[in-house]
Amino acid sequence: MSNIKIAFSSNEKFARHLAAFIASILSNSLDNESFDFYILDGGITEQSQEKIRSLNSIKDFNVHFLKTDFEQLKDCPNNVIFTKNAYSRLLLDLVLPDVDRILYLDCDMIATRSLGALWESDLKGKSLGVVHDFSIDLDRFDNVLTVFLLELTFKDIFNSGLLLMNLDKIRKEKTFRKTLEWVANHPSMLQWADQNPLNVVFHNDFVFLDGMWNGSAQKKDHLNGEPMPAIIHYLKRVKPWHLEYDGLYEEQYEKYLSMTPWKGTPKSPQSPVKMSFIRNAKRRLADWIAQKALPHSPWLQSLMDYRDSMEEQNKNLFNVIRKRVQ
Ligand SMILES: [Mn+2]
């Protein structure tokens, strides 16, 4: 009999996605596996908590809702992409003082088979078991710059959506306290929220697990017919519950959502307007206004030439930095 302890962090908005994930974990579990779910609760309503409890019709489990103490996360930023909630995993050593090992998982995931083998993974004396972050696109300047500023290389970077924790070791060594200190001291280096400080503070204190435990749902990562991951991570901002979703395994999310009381919830638009569209539109508008106001002006032309040459230089700089972080 193995008792698998899993922590999640959710607010009300994510409760139904968490329910779909839990339904997938229960449905794919083996008979000899039992579960304790610890939900870092960033404001889940009573009704939604009841709906999550009702998943015991699939298989019995224990669930513990742990109110997140946001005072402890006062130095963590809140923004459109990542809310403060993303950092609550760094409180697990405090909120679960008697738990030695725990598996932390994001809510934008679906399990397609038993997590027993993942739970039993050998951490070889390290604090974390993790999966390499395959989703970082090094054709994007912001990604390359982030890796560069962290003084890491791309191949060392792990995704913080799955963390198999030796919580006892983390508690003794106060590594999560150090991680939160890093957050407080580096407010401008949190592009990937908790993932940046975790990669810095736990550098050399993790083992890489098989990539199937935190697999991508992006088409570009499955061009060679890779099998469906044991845990699908819908990594990108557009998720399978959005109308614009164009990744893989949408049907897996829907299959497990339909086992929950949220069955049939319609999809919603991810965002009314794309940011890149706004940026380009602003730029085109600025060019148009400038040309209308100062037609055939050599001064304006030289200014625009200058801007273009700077762009060319930035491109060269980008290529130099990219080589360094690869
Ligand atoms: Mn995620």
Side-chain angles (χ1 to χ4, degrees):
M1 195 71 190
S2 99
N3 176 244
I4 303 178
K5 298 184 180 70
I6 307 181
F8 308 95
S9 170
S10 181
N11 52 21
E12 177 62 16
K13 226 174 107 188
F14 266 76
R16 81 171 200 265
H17 316 309
L18 171 60
F21 190 15
I22 289 178
S24 73
I25 293 170
L26 296 170
S27 317
N28 290 295
S29 68
L30 305 178
D31 287 345
N32 66 350
E33 291 164 357
S34 66
F35 293 91
D36 271 86
F37 297 127
Y38 299 89
I39 299 173
L40 297 162
D41 175 1
I44 305 175
T45 62
E46 283 291 329
Q47 296 93 301
S48 294
Q49 292 188 17
E50 263 326 296
K51 287 180 183 172
I52 289 171
R53 287 199 179 90
S54 77
L55 299 171
N56 65 5
S57 59
I58 303 171
K59 176 173 180 157
D60 206 17
F61 60 89
N62 294 317
V63 63
H64 316 263
F65 288 91
L66 308 157
K67 270 264 166 280
T68 299
D69 177 5
F70 285 104
E71 181 51 30
Q72 308 235 39
L73 302 175
K74 61 181 187 322
D75 296 320
C76 302
N78 227 345
N79 65 43
V80 234
I81 308 177
F82 298 105
T83 65
K84 245 183 213 297
N85 235 21
Y87 297 86
S88 64
R89 72 199 79 180
L90 304 175
L91 302 176
L92 283 169
D93 58 330
L94 302 179
V95 297
L96 300 176
D98 303 318
V99 173
D100 295 342
R101 169 177 283 225
I102 194 138
L103 174 62
Y104 169 85
L105 293 169
D106 270 2
C107 291
D108 54 351
M109 292 176 151
I110 287 292
T112 66
R113 68 186 91 153
S114 155
L115 304 187
L118 167 61
W119 175 249
E120 304 289 342
S121 299
D122 183 1
L123 295 182
K124 303 189 170 89
K126 304 285 188 181
S127 292
L128 297 177
V130 291
V131 171
H132 174 58
D133 195 333
F134 295 100
S135 72
I136 301 170
D137 181 356
L138 289 186
D139 285 333
R140 276 182 47 180
F141 183 69
D142 51 345
N143 287 343
V144 169
L145 194 63
T146 299
V147 180
F148 179 74
L149 290 174
L150 294 176
E151 298 180 50
L152 297 171
T153 52
F154 168 65
K155 64 173 177 25
D156 292 331
I157 292 200
F158 60 82
N159 180 273
S160 66
L162 177 152
L163 304 166
L164 179 60
M165 303 174 179
N166 179 342
L167 202 54
D168 202 32
K169 183 172 189 284
I170 291 171
R171 194 165 23 240
K172 281 190 186 124
E173 297 173 358
K174 300 188 165 52
T175 342
F176 280 162
R177 304 305 97 223
K178 289 174 195 162
T179 311
L180 281 168
E181 269 168 41
W182 195 95
V183 169
N185 294 328
H186 299 81
S188 62
M189 285 173 67
L190 302 167
Q191 294 80 0
W192 301 321
D194 58 290
Q195 183 163 316
N196 286 11
L198 282 167
N199 267 279
V200 172
V201 177
F202 286 87
H203 190 59
N204 294 324
D205 193 16
F206 65 80
V207 290
F208 272 134
L209 307 171
D210 193 302
M212 73 172 177
W213 297 119
N214 185 356
S216 162
Q218 293 189 82
K219 284 189 181 125
K220 72 174 180 60
D221 299 325
H222 294 268
L223 297 176
N224 302 314
E226 284 81 359
M228 183 156 69
I231 298 178
I232 302 165
H233 192 174
Y234 302 97
L235 285 150
K236 290 287 144 175
R237 283 183 70 185
V238 182
K239 309 287 189 191
W241 52 85
H242 291 131
L243 290 164
E244 304 92 333
Y245 186 70
D246 65 350
L248 298 170
Y249 310 126
E250 188 173 2
E251 74 295 344
Q252 293 294 317
Y253 171 76
E254 279 162 5
K255 171 179 166 188
Y256 293 107
L257 183 71
S258 74
M259 294 182 189
T260 77
W262 280 277
K263 176 183 177 161
T265 308
K267 290 177 196 269
S268 56
Q270 191 260 336
S271 140
V273 203
K274 274 203 157 131
M275 284 314 287
S276 58
F277 173 78
I278 295 175
R279 266 198 305 270
N280 287 337
K282 268 188 190 163
R283 190 187 157 131
R284 280 197 304 272
L285 186 65
D287 283 359
W288 183 79
I289 290 171
Q291 274 158 352
K292 281 278 171 205
L294 301 162
H296 318 299
S297 153
W299 174 79
L300 179 65
Q301 193 52 52
S302 69
L303 196 66
M304 285 166 72
D305 287 350
Y306 174 70
R307 186 188 66 185
D308 292 347
S309 78
M310 285 309 286
E311 270 187 4
E312 193 53 38
Q313 285 192 38
N314 286 344
K315 234 180 255 165
N316 295 337
L317 183 65
F318 169 56
N319 285 326
V320 171
I321 300 177
R322 181 161 55 178
K323 283 206 184 82
R324 211 179 288 183
V325 305
Q326 259 160 358

